[in-house]
Amino acid sequence: MEFVIARNPDAESSLPFLVRLPVGSRPVVLKVKDTWPRTAKVFCHPGTEWPDPEDLEIVERVPVTSCVRRGVAIDLVLDRARENRSQFVFTKARGRELVFWQSARTRKQARPNVAVPTARASGRRLDIVVDTRERYAWKFSDQQATTSKRALPVGDYAVEADGEVVAVVERKSIEDLVSTIVGGKLWTLLAAMADVSHAAVVVDDRYSSLFKLTRVRPASVAEQIAEAAVRYPAVPIVFAETRQLAQEWTYRFFGAAIEHRANDAVGTARFDALTTGGPVPAPEPTTAEVRAWAIAEGLDVSDRGRLRPEIWEARRAAMVQVPTSRAGE
């Protein structure tokens, strides 16, 4: 199967391209405004016809991994490394039937009814290091933070203190997380991240999205995520629902890590300033221990209750004499 983009032969149309979607045994044609939804959703309209092969001016043709209609959407997966996943959504606005072509970057995700706070993380303005290999990096534009780029040994984002990496975060989409699991790279990643004081994998989607996967067994993916939590409890995998909330969680996580380090340093300094304690005498024996000793020595004691003062004195005297007698042996 191939996904084909061609020029629209209708010069008067405001939609200059045609796309051919191989949905099952019945390919469909749409007129589109652009060749891919890179920065915004692409408006589409049902095509009236597909040009004759002799008149067809092909712009691009890409092998298709999957093209499936699910409800009011067509999920398209192309066989290429980048710009490979998108969705055509059929909707209605103001009584008109509309079609939008969207990618993971441009689709309007279901967002919780929350407002992201603007207060500083742990009262600090953070400088967050972004790995140079990170594509479409988070900007932290809603948070009080600055970013700088540098190659990181592990993770996509990090914060430092005194030239040392304090915390790292690996960002994952659902697709990227599944690819890491299926490819066997998850354990290597978590092992490397476990060497950092504070680390987390943050997924900018919902946990429930795992169970909508079609190309892998959702139960298998869920089991490996659970196993990861057991094997590497210090590196949680956090599902933050949306890109916005993923940034917010990462920002707060980094603030807490910096604050913990600062508090730990203060606590260490104060602890080191304390006076060292000297040796202490052995603890007084319990009533049960003294009663057992007295019975073994043939002294008259009750089976319960308090012991007479002379029994306690006899026990103390015996404990003082033991080292003396052993020293003279």
Side-chain angles (χ1 to χ4, degrees):
M1 296 189 298
E2 285 187 326
F3 173 67
V4 180
I5 302 176
R7 294 201 179 276
N8 187 354
D10 184 0
E12 296 181 0
S13 174
S14 61
L15 304 176
F17 302 101
L18 301 176
V19 296
R20 182 179 185 273
L21 291 169
V23 185
S25 59
R26 180 180 172 270
V28 295
V29 180
L30 293 173
K31 293 187 287 186
V32 299
K33 195 170 185 179
D34 204 350
T35 58
W36 190 262
R38 293 180 177 87
T39 58
K41 293 180 181 180
V42 174
F43 177 73
C44 311
H45 193 274
T48 55
E49 61 179 346
W50 184 252
D52 291 333
E54 295 180 357
D55 301 327
L56 190 63
E57 184 180 353
I58 296 179
V59 176
E60 190 174 13
R61 57 197 306 168
V62 186
V64 172
T65 300
S66 174
C67 187
V68 181
R69 184 185 66 81
R70 296 182 175 89
V72 294
I74 298 174
D75 293 328
L76 175 67
V77 182
L78 302 181
D79 187 14
R80 62 185 181 188
R82 298 181 60 187
E83 297 183 344
N84 55 2
R85 291 180 178 271
S86 63
Q87 188 179 66
F88 292 81
V89 179
F90 298 85
T91 184
K92 181 181 288 187
R94 297 179 181 177
R96 294 179 56 199
E97 299 287 342
L98 302 175
V99 183
F100 287 101
W101 185 14
Q102 60 191 21
S103 67
R105 294 182 59 203
T106 59
R107 73 176 183 264
K108 183 179 181 180
Q109 299 177 347
R111 300 181 182 275
N113 187 21
V114 297
V116 175
T118 58
R120 293 184 177 186
S122 301
R124 303 169 184 272
R125 185 175 183 83
L126 303 182
D127 180 21
I128 300 174
V129 181
V130 183
D131 186 63
T132 52
R133 294 158 293 189
E134 173 71 346
R135 294 177 179 176
Y136 314 120
W138 291 339
K139 303 297 184 182
F140 295 96
S141 55
D142 293 331
Q143 290 78 26
Q144 298 194 43
T146 58
T147 60
S148 57
K149 284 214 165 190
R150 193 170 70 252
L152 295 172
V154 64
D156 297 320
Y157 304 88
V159 286
E160 298 178 327
D162 302 324
E164 178 184 350
V165 173
V166 175
V168 298
V169 160
E170 177 81 10
R171 178 181 69 91
K172 293 289 184 188
S173 64
I174 282 290
E175 294 82 4
D176 194 13
L177 176 65
V178 171
S179 175
T180 302
I181 292 173
V182 173
K185 298 179 181 179
L186 179 65
W187 309 118
T188 303
L189 171 64
L190 295 180
M193 296 183 72
D195 290 335
V196 184
S197 299
H198 308 284
V201 177
V202 179
V203 184
D204 54 6
D205 210 326
R206 298 178 178 181
Y207 180 71
S208 60
S209 298
L210 293 176
F211 303 97
K212 301 176 183 177
L213 299 173
T214 57
R215 298 188 64 191
V216 297
R217 288 182 60 243
S220 176
V221 174
E223 284 178 1
Q224 292 199 55
I225 290 175
E227 184 180 349
V230 174
R231 289 175 59 178
Y232 297 96
V235 188
I237 299 177
V238 180
F239 290 84
E241 297 190 47
T242 67
R243 180 182 176 94
Q244 180 191 32
L245 293 181
Q247 290 182 75
E248 177 65 16
W249 190 95
T250 299
Y251 174 66
R252 300 294 165 185
F253 174 69
F254 282 160
I258 293 290
E259 182 72 6
H260 177 76
R261 180 184 174 91
N263 290 340
D264 187 59
V266 171
T268 299
R270 291 181 178 179
F271 178 81
D272 291 342
L274 298 177
T275 303
T276 302
V280 295
E284 285 286 332
T286 65
T287 300
E289 291 172 338
V290 175
R291 178 177 282 109
W293 170 83
I295 293 173
E297 293 294 322
L299 301 178
D300 183 22
V301 293
S302 60
D303 293 335
R304 65 178 65 182
R306 296 182 178 180
L307 298 174
R308 301 190 304 276
E310 57 266 28
I311 299 298
W312 284 97
E313 290 297 331
R315 168 65 175 177
R316 294 190 186 95
M319 293 301 297
V320 171
Q321 293 173 4
V322 169
T324 304
S325 59
R326 288 182 178 174
E329 293 178 354

